[in-house]
């Protein structure tokens, strides 16, 4: 593996040169509003550079190992995979719709067309437009809104029930909605999300119309082992109309140990009374992963999010949900399994910014080997967000002498009629429980295995969709077995 | 009279200790540079090593950046505008060691701190620090009988340089943080206490800090050493006049507990908090840290923080000795425009070390109250145990209560637990009390005191009474 080493101070220059190279190639392909958005994002990223541990949100995670490597997007790639190869990786088998990305680029041959869709993916042959592999329909636009302003997502014109497309196609066909949402769900001062905006080349875009049940959708991001250090910046957008339902699985997985830096961003907008079950899984051994997920929730919307990290040299997910409408609720579940030299970081933020909003958060970390699990969970009750009900629980299990768990549950409360609490614990397996199992004839390893799996169960069992739950259970069990076999 | 008005009435008392003592000062011109530091050192007749220590700290301080991570907001401090030394002038004809200036005696009497060894608080030895210098230390002779050294820092430098040199900066180094480095460079006085092995200090020791002069900062340093098997209980109190300008107080407290020693350090902090509009008040940026050096030693911090415009303070315990114990009990109250970012650090290094954190925050008016704590368990601290509890009480919808606990564990046999909750004084609670014939102001006071009871229980008796009164005063106008 050849790795070009950069002077750390030139990390910004490196990404700026990637930006310039891309901008030159993109001339004419992207609308001016997007070019402006990218330029502004690049400028903001250049001003700060990669986040440093001085930044409290990055207190536990240093990108010092990312900065000196010249990660670059893949060139033309030939994908030697077919849909059969995907089966063991899928977290939502039997999903109505699936988009698959290989090293950050849409791989049309591995995608699954939604049968509900009147437009979007699956119609027409892949064309060489955009990023080169986007399955753009051959010219026609069945909805006839191309280039015409629309009323925004609050009152969209008559649309098909479910629209799912790759980034390039979405920009071309639904520019107004894209312009309305892109970057608008993110908070300020998020350098890795700015880097994504500047360099994003592909991603999934999902629009679900009012009142529609979209069923399961899986977004699969595969990283293959490559000779060059690989950079990808997938940009996803999920918009659920009023009263609609969907289950979305965002699955980041590496085949083997890859030398990659993935910087994905997912923006999610939930209309009034919309319900989303969102699950993000990352398992990319050897890779760097700095994901940002930002949600805006409307009145009485319900979000259930599962954030699972099963391994990675450095895998960080920063998840934020903004309860902007009265009566909204969010349930977050996190599970991190860190072994070997894994560094897993889950940073969550819940903003209660309207009357009578509710949140529940449960995060569990299991750390062994030389692994490190870091959790930071902020609950912010804004002024006027009365009748907020928030609870955050974090439990950490340390299984080896060299493991480390860090946790930071933060409450910021600027209203008085609230019910807020949090709790955090760190410890090892209960000696008495181990003894109990061993007294019943189990050997030490079996007893450990059972108790460790039981620790993770609370999170795994909370996945509502039975198919997804079974897939999660299998993946987590497999990973736990691997971890427990590692030398301690 | 509704409950809001009654609480307002309860809280309508003014800051009690806001008077100014008219006394001649010996002060150096404002500004901070090596010349000023040399001047301070010269005035105090310090040995060369201490001057060198100050200058090294100052040079390091110049390379440091003021921290911004705390949840407090204030305009930039002009360190060149502060006077770093101000001492009450001795009256003509009095020499060092002679009777104290009657004006000062009156001041301390007014504050309820008797400097004559006779009054009601005869069981407490006091070191009184007035602006930059210690003006009196009581019961020195009685303590000396036991071998206890209790004197001003300057005197300790003169009479026990070997002890000072050995322990100074060994817990809070001169480059520890921005304000500690500033203190190391310009500290003017403070208290020094050494308890010899196996001695149980027969009375409470205490330091009373008073800022009097305008446009000065107070930078004092307290060093308490409890040698093997000894015990001491230490109290600290502070007040300042009411002024429209903010004044900086950047102190350092170092505690050292050797094997099986016990130190109990209690603070009732009542610096001037500024007026109802947030004008004036003390910036209280303090570094307090204790080290349990020996096995089975114990350090316990208890603090009641009701004053100061801004509090930035994290009394900490380094639990180095095996089986050592650290405790932190805190009540922090912010009202009007006060801001407090306070908490503790418990660093577990030794085996079977235990720590308990109990933090109670009360926010009222536009007060911002943050608990910030760190529990760190190093590898090898087998069997370490921590329990933390942080509770916030909100009075009114314009205040803020925040909790920032950091937990970092590298030892699998450690057990760390943290809990936090938030509640408010509800109309229903007040109604319940009133329905039983309890006057509204009494009801609020009862509820607040109930909320803080676990911490007050840790305070020495005289302080507990004082603390209860202070909470009542500080909360005036809170409900309204």
């Amino acid at each position: 593996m050849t790795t070009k080493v950069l002077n750390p101070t030139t990390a910004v220059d490196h990404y700026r040169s990637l930006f310039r190279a891309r901008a030159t190639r993109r001339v004419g392909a992207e609308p001016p509003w997007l070019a402006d958005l990218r330029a502004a994002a690049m400028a903001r990223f250049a001003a700060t550079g990669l986040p440093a541990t001085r930044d409290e949100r990055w207190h536990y995670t240093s990108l010092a190992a990312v900065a000196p490597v010249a990660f670059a997007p893949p060139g033309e790639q030939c994908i030697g995979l077919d849909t059969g190869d995907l089966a063991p990786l899928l977290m939502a088998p039997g999903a109505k719709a699936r988009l698959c990305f290989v090293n950050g680029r849409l791989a049309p041959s591995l995608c699954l067309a939604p049968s509900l869709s009147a437009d979007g993916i699956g119609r027409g042959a892949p064309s060489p437009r955009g990023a080169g592999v986007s399955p753009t329909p051959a010219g026609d636009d069945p909805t006839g809104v191309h280039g015409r302003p629309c009323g925004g997502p609050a009152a969209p014109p008559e649309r098909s029930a479910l629209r799912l497309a790759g980034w390039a196609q979405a920009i071309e066909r639904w520019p107004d909605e894209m312009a309305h949402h892109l970057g608008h769900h993110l908070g300020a001062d998020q350098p890795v999300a700015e880097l994504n905006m500047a360099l994003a080349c592909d991603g999934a875009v999902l629009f679900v119309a009012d009142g529609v049940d979209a069923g399961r959708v899986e977004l699969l991001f595969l990283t293959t082992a490559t000779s060059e250090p690989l950079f990808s910046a997938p940009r996803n957008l999920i918009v659920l109309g009023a009263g609609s339902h969907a289950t979305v699985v965002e699955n980041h997985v590496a085949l083997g140990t890859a030398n990659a830096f993935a910087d994905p961003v997912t923006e999610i907008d939930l209309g009034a009374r919309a319900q989303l079950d969102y699950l993000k899984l990352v398992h990319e051994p050897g890779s760097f992963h700095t994901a940002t997920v930002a949600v805006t929730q409307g009145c009485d919307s319900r979000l259930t999010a599962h954030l699972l990290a099963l391994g990675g040299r450095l895998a960080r997910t920063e998840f934020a949900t903004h309860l902007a409408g009265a009566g909204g609720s969010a349930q977050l579940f996190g599970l991190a399994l860190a072994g070997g030299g894994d560094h897993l970081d889950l940073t969550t933020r819940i903003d209660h910014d309207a009357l009578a909003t509710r949140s529940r958060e449960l995060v569990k970390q299991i750390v062994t080997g030389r692994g490190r699990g870091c959790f930071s969970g902020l609950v912010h009750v804004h002024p006027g967000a009365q009748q907020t009900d928030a609870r955050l629980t974090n439990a950490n299990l340390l299984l080896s002498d060299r493991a480390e768990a860090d946790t930071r549950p933060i409450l910021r409360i600027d209203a008085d009629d609230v019910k807020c609490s949090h709790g955090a614990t760190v410890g090892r397996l209960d000696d008495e429980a181990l003894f109990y199992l061993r007294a019943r004839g189990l050997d030490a390893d079996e007893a450990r295995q059972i108790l460790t799996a039981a620790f993770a169960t609370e999170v795994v069992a909370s996945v509502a969709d039975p198919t997804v739950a079974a897939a999660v259970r299998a993946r987590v069990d497999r990973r736990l077995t691997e971890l427990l076999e590692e030398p301690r | 009279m509704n409950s809001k008005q009654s609480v307002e009435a309860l809280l309508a008392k003014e800051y009690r200790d806001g008077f100014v003592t008219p006394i001649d000062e010996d002060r150096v011109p404002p500004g901070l540079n090596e010349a000023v530091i040399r001047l301070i050192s010269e005035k105090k007749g310090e040995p060369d090593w201490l001057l060198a220590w100050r200058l090294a700290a100052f040079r390091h301080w110049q390379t440091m950046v003021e921290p911004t991570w705390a949840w407090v907001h204030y305009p930039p401090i002009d360190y060149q505008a502060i006077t770093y030394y101000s001492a009450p002038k001795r009256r003509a004809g009095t020499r060092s060691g002679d009777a104290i200036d009657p004006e000062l005696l009156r001041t301390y009497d007014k504050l309820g701190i008797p400097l004559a060894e006779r009054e009601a608080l005869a069981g407490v030895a006091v070191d009184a620090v007035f602006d930059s210098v210690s003006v009196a230390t009581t019961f020195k002779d009685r303590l000396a009988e036991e071998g206890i050294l209790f004197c001003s820092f300057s005197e300790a430098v003169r009479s026990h340089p070997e002890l000072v040199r050995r322990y100074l900066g060994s817990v809070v180094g001169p480059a520890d943080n921005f304000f500690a480095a500033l203190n190391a460079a310009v500290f003017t006085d403070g208290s020094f206490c050494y308890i010899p092995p196996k001695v149980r200090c027969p009375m409470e020791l205490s330091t009373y800090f008073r800022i009097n002069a305008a446009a000065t900062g107070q930078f004092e340093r307290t060093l308490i050493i409890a040698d093997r098997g000894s015990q001491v209980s230490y109290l600290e109190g502070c007040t300042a006049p009411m002024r429209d300008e903010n004044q900086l107080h950047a102190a350092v407290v170092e505690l050292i507990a050797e094997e099986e020693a016990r130190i109990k350090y209690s603070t009732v902090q009542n610096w001037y908090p500024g007026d109802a509009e947030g004008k004036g008040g003390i910036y209280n940026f303090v570094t307090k840290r204790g080290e349990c050096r020996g096995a089975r030693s114990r350090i316990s911090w208890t603090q009641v923080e009701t004053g100061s415009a801004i509090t930035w303070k994290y009394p900490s315990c380094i639990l180095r000795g095996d089986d050592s114990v650290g405790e932190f009990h805190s009540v922090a109250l912010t009202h009007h425009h006060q801001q407090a970012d306070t908490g503790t650090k418990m660093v577990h290094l030794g085996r079977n070390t235990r720590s308990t954190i109990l933090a109670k925050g009360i926010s009222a008016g536009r007060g911002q109250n943050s608990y910030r704590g760190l529990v760190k368990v190093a590898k090898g601290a087998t069997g370490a145990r921590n329990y933390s509890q942080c509770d916030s009480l909100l009075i009114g919808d314009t205040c803020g209560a925040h909790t920032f606990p950091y937990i970092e564990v590298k030892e699998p046999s450690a057990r760390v637990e943290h809990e936090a909750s938030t509640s408010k004084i509800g109309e229903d609670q007040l109604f319940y009390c009133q329905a039983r014939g309890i006057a509204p102001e009494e009801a609020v006071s009862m509820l607040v005191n109930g909320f803080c009871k676990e911490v007050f229980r840790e305070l020495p008796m005289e302080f507990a009474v004082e603390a209860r009164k202070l909470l009542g005063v500080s909360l005036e106008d809170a409900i309204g």
Side-chain angles (χ1 to χ4, degrees), chain A residues 54-73:
Chain A
R54 286 195 303 279
D55 183 335
E56 279 293 297
R57 290 166 305 168
W58 291 79
H59 186 69
Y60 291 128
T61 299
S62 163
L63 292 181
V66 173
V69 184
F71 292 103

Side-chain angles (χ1 to χ4, degrees), chain A residues 56 404 407 409 411 413 422 424 426, chain B residues 401 403 405-407 410 416 418 420:
Chain A
E56 279 293 297
E404 175 172 355
T407 169
L411 275 176
I413 299 170
H422 69 213
V426 183
Chain B
T403 316
Y406 291 59
I407 302 170
K410 293 189 184 182
V416 178
H418 169 95

Side-chain angles (χ1 to χ4, degrees), chain B residues 135-151:
Chain B
V135 291
T137 310
T138 61
F139 293 105
K140 271 158 80 173
D141 300 339
R142 166 76 186 85
L143 292 169
E145 284 169 24
E146 305 269 354
I148 295 168
L149 306 176
F150 181 50
C151 59

Side-chain angles (χ1 to χ4, degrees), chain A residues 241-297:
Chain A
S244 65
H245 292 227
T247 298
V248 176
V249 175
E250 188 182 324
N251 184 1
H252 296 261
V253 57
L255 301 170
T257 301
N259 181 22
F261 172 26
D263 180 28
V265 171
T266 302
E267 289 183 272
I268 300 173
D269 185 57
L270 301 187
R273 302 178 315 284
Q275 289 186 28
L276 173 67
D277 284 336
Y278 170 81
L279 184 141
K280 175 176 180 288
L281 181 141
V282 53
H283 188 189
E284 298 174 332
S287 289
F288 300 96
H289 180 99
T290 57
T292 309
V293 181
V295 189
T296 306
Q297 292 190 242

Side-chain angles (χ1 to χ4, degrees), chain A residues 21-211:
Chain A
R22 176 150 312 164
T24 338
R25 265 185 285 131
R26 271 220 190 84
V27 170
E30 280 190 347
W33 63 265
L34 182 55
D36 291 348
L37 217 54
R38 287 183 187 280
M42 188 66 221
R44 283 191 296 269
F45 173 76
T48 59
L50 288 168
T53 47
R54 286 195 303 279
D55 183 335
E56 279 293 297
R57 290 166 305 168
W58 291 79
H59 186 69
Y60 291 128
T61 299
S62 163
L63 292 181
V66 173
V69 184
F71 292 103
E76 285 306 310
Q77 48 185 12
C78 146
I79 300 153
L81 291 167
D82 61 42
T83 44
D85 298 326
L86 299 185
L89 305 172
L90 295 178
M91 297 306 294
K96 286 176 179 167
R98 177 175 77 231
L99 290 190
C100 179
F101 300 81
V102 177
N103 296 335
R105 297 284 168 80
L106 189 67
S109 62
L110 300 175
C111 297
L112 194 66
S115 56
L116 282 173
S117 169
D119 59 2
I121 187 169
R123 297 195 24 126
S127 93
R129 292 276 301 272
V133 288
S134 180
T136 313
D140 66 328
D141 185 358
T143 56
V145 294
H146 178 65
R148 183 146 52 81
C150 78
E158 208 50 44
R159 290 287 201 186
S160 53
L162 178 150
R163 291 172 289 146
L164 176 66
W167 163 274
Q169 186 193 25
I171 296 284
E172 187 184 307
R173 308 187 64 189
W174 314 311
D176 299 317
E177 283 165 285
M178 294 296 282
H180 180 84
H181 286 289
L182 272 185
H184 288 184
H185 304 285
L186 289 164
D189 194 19
Q190 307 216 65
V192 295
E194 302 290 5
L195 181 64
N196 172 287
M197 187 69 249
L199 295 174
C201 62
D202 220 331
V205 178
L206 171 68
F207 289 101
V208 180
D210 293 355

